[in-house]
Amino acid sequence: MPRPSTGRRRAVAPAGVVAFCLCLAAAVPVAADPLRAETRDTARAASEGVSEGPSLALRTNDPETWRVATHPVPPLVMEAEGRLRGFSIDLWNAIARELGVRTAFVRVDDLPALFGAVSDGRADLAIAAVSITAERERRFDFSVTMLETGLRIAVPAAPDATGSATGRALRALLSDATFLQVLLGLAALILAVAALIWWLERRHPGGMAARARPAHGFAHVLWWALSSLAAQAEEMPRSPLARAITVVWLFTCIALVAWFTAGLTSTATVERLRGAINGPQDLPGKRVGTVAHTTSVAYLADHFATPVGFASLEEACAALQAGTVAAVVYDAPALSYYATQPGHAPLRLIGPAFNRQAYGILFAANDPRRKRVNQALLGLREDGRYDEIYSRWFGSESGETQDR
């Protein structure tokens, strides 16, 4: 009887193995394909109205947002009706589309604030009109050149519209308080000499005022004194004392005429030089307006001009029209754009751009975003999109701009 019992045990064992294998086969696909399991779980959660929270957010593929600092520098950066526009803004928007990132602009007031926003982490990068210099390169990183430019000189559009240099010099002398005081003293001296000569000549029988009424006689002697200044006196006093005074007076007239001529000549020379700015070589020794904290200040100081910094280009040009500075030196694109805008006194731009420099996009040191931006910027240059943006804001070489 032991053999039948052994046969039943052998029949039961294979059935248990088969059942175990079937269970294992059902479980293996789920473990081997977690994506399918996850998809099934997601569908189940969606059918039940349950949100997966953070795990769903990771699969939305939202583009990253970069904070970009900028400040107004027409025509590179301008703000109208709450919207930023300009060459730098259009260029960055094209780069951002190329990179697939969103942009959050951080607006600041000036160039120092732009550097501060990047250095303290309030912005990831900065774009406006930032010149690449050795000193800045020690503190920050720059992209490849985004715009090549330089400095230009602006003077009033019609420096001789108010008259010749001699006429402007005469007006300058007459507006000088010290000169006016001297003229008043000279007038008092002429009246004193005329009164003394009239009194002496009136007592002399053959004198110039002997036969005339007092008022007419004094007027006649006064005219004689004035004529003596130009050596045009037609008669001489008859009284001996009056003749002695006349000799002294004539020498005094020569000195007075020489002094006035010298003052007028020197002032006219200054006015003529002030209006003769034809290039950078004429800037040394002159007061030149520019925007503070820019490379223009360093250039003017290094070339023996007297830089006068202003908060904005508009203030510098207003000082130029007021005559407190002889010229304005600033970045060529900004000056060219300002000169074409209505609503202010016209300017004349002198010569081509000089002190060539390059603008770049500013990054914190060792920022990995720089390489990605460089690749995008070089791509825009290669496929012609950069040229389209450039011509939109700066037009042809003749300076004509297209509709923006």
Side-chain angles (χ1 to χ4, degrees):
M1 297 300 297
R3 188 175 301 274
S5 175
T6 305
R8 282 194 298 271
R9 284 195 301 269
R10 290 178 180 175
V12 172
V17 172
V18 171
F20 175 76
C21 291
L22 290 175
C23 294
L24 182 63
V28 167
V30 175
D33 192 357
L35 180 59
R36 184 180 303 171
E38 181 182 359
T39 303
R40 187 165 54 251
D41 293 342
T42 302
R44 185 184 305 112
S47 65
E48 295 175 358
V50 178
S51 173
E52 287 191 289
S55 60
L56 280 178
L58 293 175
R59 290 192 295 275
T60 58
N61 295 323
D62 287 339
E64 57 182 318
T65 299
W66 290 8
R67 299 165 300 166
V68 180
T70 189
H71 76 102
V73 186
L76 281 81
V77 180
M78 298 179 291
E79 186 171 5
E81 299 178 354
R83 186 174 67 90
L84 289 174
R85 53 195 293 267
F87 170 78
S88 295
I89 299 300
D90 286 356
L91 181 62
W92 172 255
N93 287 335
I95 293 174
R97 285 192 296 270
E98 187 75 7
L99 296 175
V101 300
R102 291 179 177 176
T103 303
F105 285 109
V106 179
R107 296 172 178 82
V108 296
D109 294 331
D110 50 30
L111 198 57
L114 195 78
F115 292 130
V118 174
S119 62
D120 62 20
R122 287 184 290 114
D124 300 314
L125 56 101
I127 187 170
V130 187
S131 300
I132 302 174
T133 65
E135 190 276 332
R136 292 171 181 173
E137 186 67 38
R138 284 192 288 269
R139 301 169 50 204
F140 301 93
D141 280 344
F142 284 92
S143 68
V144 295
T145 300
M146 76 173 200
L147 181 65
E148 294 179 356
T149 182
L151 302 177
R152 290 198 76 178
I153 303 172
V155 297
D160 295 326
T162 57
S164 65
T166 303
R168 296 197 307 272
L170 183 57
R171 287 193 294 272
L173 284 176
L174 293 178
S175 62
D176 190 318
T178 302
F179 184 79
L180 289 178
Q181 291 176 358
V182 173
L183 283 184
L184 289 176
L186 177 59
L189 178 61
I190 293 174
L191 287 174
V193 170
L196 181 58
I197 296 297
W198 171 78
W199 183 76
L200 293 174
E201 287 293 285
R202 188 165 180 250
R203 299 181 60 183
H204 192 280
M208 292 186 295
R211 298 182 179 87
R213 288 180 296 178
H216 288 174
F218 180 78
H220 179 71
V221 174
L222 180 61
W223 174 251
W224 168 86
L226 291 171
S227 301
S228 301
L229 288 171
Q232 296 297 319
E234 296 180 354
E235 59 181 317
M236 295 294 291
R238 300 298 179 85
S239 169
L241 183 57
R243 289 189 174 188
I245 295 174
T246 298
V247 171
V248 176
W249 172 241
L250 291 178
F251 278 107
T252 303
C253 289
I254 294 173
L256 289 173
V257 170
W259 169 79
F260 181 81
T261 303
L264 185 61
T265 302
S266 62
T267 306
T269 301
V270 171
E271 290 294 325
R272 194 172 291 111
L273 290 174
R274 181 178 298 175
I277 296 180
N278 299 309
Q281 69 278 0
D282 300 319
L283 295 176
K286 295 182 173 63
R287 286 170 52 87
V288 181
T290 187
V291 179
H293 308 296
T294 62
T295 55
S296 308
V297 177
Y299 173 86
L300 293 172
D302 292 341
H303 289 77
F304 306 105
T306 303
V308 182
F310 295 90
S312 65
L313 179 59
E314 290 76 9
E315 293 184 12
C317 291
L320 175 64
Q321 299 301 329
T324 57
V325 295
V328 170
V329 171
Y330 194 48
D331 295 353
L335 263 183
S336 299
Y337 181 82
Y338 183 86
T340 61
Q341 300 307 298
H344 56 73
L347 299 176
R348 182 164 59 99
L349 300 183
I350 303 298
F354 58 96
N355 189 38
R356 304 298 297 187
Q357 52 189 302
Y359 291 160
I361 301 173
L362 184 74
F363 296 87
N366 303 318
D367 192 323
R369 299 180 186 87
R370 184 169 68 100
K371 184 174 182 179
R372 296 174 59 187
V373 170
N374 282 342
Q375 292 173 343
L377 180 53
L378 292 173
L380 294 178
R381 285 186 176 274
E382 292 169 359
D383 61 20
R385 284 177 288 172
Y386 176 91
D387 295 331
E388 294 177 2
I389 298 172
Y390 182 92
S391 62
R392 186 184 310 154
W393 289 99
F394 303 119
S396 62
E397 292 297 326
S398 63
E400 298 177 354
T401 56
Q402 301 178 0
D403 292 338
R404 303 182 178 106

